[in-house]
Amino acid sequence: MIYKELGKTKEKVSAIGLGTWQLGEITESKVDAIRAGLDNGIDFIDTAEIYGTEDLVGEAIKNRKKPFIATKVWPSNFKYDSVIKACESSLKRLGVPQIDLYQLHWPNKSIPIKETMSAMERLVEEGKIRYIGVSNFRPEEVDEANKALKKSEIVSDQVEYSLIVRGAEKKILPYCKKKGLSLIAYSPLGHKKLVSNKHPELTETLKEIGEKYGRSPVQVALNWLISMDNVIAIPKASSKEHVLEDAGAADFVMTKGDIAKLNEVSAKFQSKSLYQMVGPLVSVYLKFKRIF
Ligand code: NAP
């Protein structure tokens, strides 16, 4: 496993983390899958109050060395008191005294960012959270959020990024590099599309490159992401087999030539993702739909 510094925190986390959206309720096999990841070098778990998986994460980490826990507050809870309450509920479900990375899930223009960030800083002061992150924020929104903080700094932006959704490369990836933030790549397997042969030419290239290193196409796709200095990938996997395969994406180094080949084959996916284009509207829409 490769470990990378989170933002400028001097704290290292595994370059491959565990995503937990749509993992569903607690079952023995899902607990086993998460624990298999933890036993094989993964020490970063991503969840969110809206996913309904914080209790599953809590169960999986019970009586074990605590991994780095990242969770998120939903935009409808961005008012001062609601942030505090949401965090306390997350802590209970997770069964931990402290959240390592607390992220604003989507921007919410209807609540002043100063109010939200003031609550986030209180949580830091009280030791309930360690670091503040954001998700689905554009560079100008990260700047605004940072300005609203008095003592802390935003350490990461979690955005959609994969070989088939490369819109992050236009603005947010260079921004994160320049400002020293980690980019946490969500849906790194294209929310399944990269494992389902939806793009045969890309699948073929992943296979070809994988054969050179004795790795699977999934491992090559994830390795492409983490080959970038400040990028961490958080694939979601329901089984032990998938988790172990994903963890194995972080122990080989591709040549520059192979990375260039992947960039070339996936060049047509450089346009912005739908989420990135309609981000601000999505945040309002999702308030009602509660799908993430
Ligand atoms: P993803 O990780 O790109 O893809 C998940 C799919 O890939 C699942 O169907 C999974 O199957 C499959 N998979 C994983 N490892 C595999 C393997 N080794 N072989 C074959 N199939 C494999 O999609 P995602 O869930 O959208 O994104 C990952 C995480 O990012 C989420 O869980 C969540 O934590 C985060 N996320 C954040 C946001 C946000 O707004 N911040 C939005 C979306 C996602 P199985 O389940 O059958 O293993």
Side-chain angles (χ1 to χ4, degrees):
M1 179 59 66
I2 294 166
Y3 296 87
K4 294 187 174 188
E5 185 178 357
L6 183 76
K8 292 182 275 188
T9 63
K10 303 219 159 48
E11 177 104 27
K12 289 202 167 179
V13 297
S14 53
I16 298 289
L18 292 175
T20 61
W21 178 40
Q22 294 182 328
L23 261 187
E25 78 280 11
I26 304 176
T27 64
E28 208 180 311
S29 65
K30 287 176 211 164
V31 167
D32 284 351
I34 294 176
R35 289 187 179 159
L38 298 177
D39 291 339
N40 284 275
I42 293 180
D43 68 0
F44 181 85
I45 306 184
D46 179 73
T47 179
E49 61 169 337
I50 204 85
Y51 295 168
T53 53
E54 288 177 323
D55 54 350
L56 168 64
V57 172
E59 183 61 29
I61 63 173
K62 207 191 275 174
N63 303 324
R64 300 174 64 100
K65 184 174 171 266
K66 182 176 165 273
F68 196 94
I69 300 290
T71 190
K72 313 182 196 82
V73 51
W74 189 242
S76 56
N77 284 332
F78 281 6
K79 281 195 163 290
Y80 189 92
D81 290 343
S82 306
V83 173
I84 308 291
K85 243 170 127 180
C87 177
E88 279 161 4
S89 303
S90 288
L91 285 168
K92 263 195 208 125
R93 286 189 291 268
L94 288 160
V96 294
Q98 189 178 48
I99 289 160
D100 298 289
L101 176 65
Y102 202 38
Q103 305 156 102
L104 304 189
H105 206 140
W106 283 84
N108 182 353
K109 300 277 179 224
S110 62
I111 298 169
I113 190 73
K114 265 194 170 171
E115 176 174 344
T116 309
M117 285 315 195
S118 153
M120 294 292 267
E121 289 208 297
R122 175 173 148 194
L123 292 170
V124 174
E125 271 161 32
E126 289 178 347
K128 289 181 180 153
I129 68 172
R130 292 174 69 204
Y131 302 114
I132 300 171
V134 292
S135 177
N136 300 300
F137 274 45
R138 300 156 191 240
E140 56 276 20
E141 290 163 337
V142 182
D143 277 338
E144 213 188 320
N146 251 329
K147 269 190 212 132
L149 288 167
K150 291 196 177 108
K151 292 185 193 157
S152 326
E153 261 184 63
I154 289 163
V155 302
S156 56
D157 195 359
Q158 184 178 135
V159 298
E160 186 177 12
Y161 189 23
S162 71
L163 272 167
I164 57 164
V165 179
R166 294 179 53 191
E169 290 168 11
K170 289 220 162 72
K171 287 188 181 165
I172 197 68
L173 181 64
Y175 172 89
C176 287
K177 262 190 201 150
K178 188 173 160 204
K179 301 274 179 168
L181 270 73
S182 291
L183 187 148
I184 302 176
Y186 77 64
S187 302
L189 297 172
H191 196 62
K192 229 189 266 198
K193 291 190 199 89
L194 265 167
V195 289
S196 58
N197 201 20
K198 203 167 182 327
H199 304 288
E201 195 195 349
L202 181 54
T203 309
E204 207 37 55
T205 309
L206 288 169
K207 255 191 213 157
E208 261 171 39
I209 294 177
E211 274 160 20
K212 279 175 61 179
Y213 301 94
R215 302 290 162 166
S216 69
V218 163
Q219 291 174 324
V220 173
L222 293 174
N223 190 279
W224 172 80
L225 280 168
I226 62 168
S227 70
M228 288 167 260
D229 275 352
N230 64 328
V231 178
I232 293 166
I234 49 166
K236 169 257 183 180
S238 317
S239 64
K240 205 168 161 177
E241 293 69 31
H242 283 174
V243 170
L244 293 181
E245 184 177 351
D246 297 353
D251 54 12
F252 68 106
V253 178
M254 280 193 283
T255 62
K256 283 193 176 134
D258 288 332
I259 292 171
K261 198 165 178 191
L262 285 167
N263 284 339
E264 193 188 312
V265 178
S266 65
K268 67 175 173 198
F269 301 112
Q270 269 169 326
S271 61
K272 283 186 174 179
S273 74
L274 186 65
Y275 295 137
Q276 285 155 350
M277 283 188 283
V278 295
L281 289 177
V282 170
S283 80
V284 176
Y285 171 72
L286 291 178
K287 239 198 266 183
F288 300 103
K289 288 290 281 182
R290 298 177 76 83
I291 56 171
F292 280 109

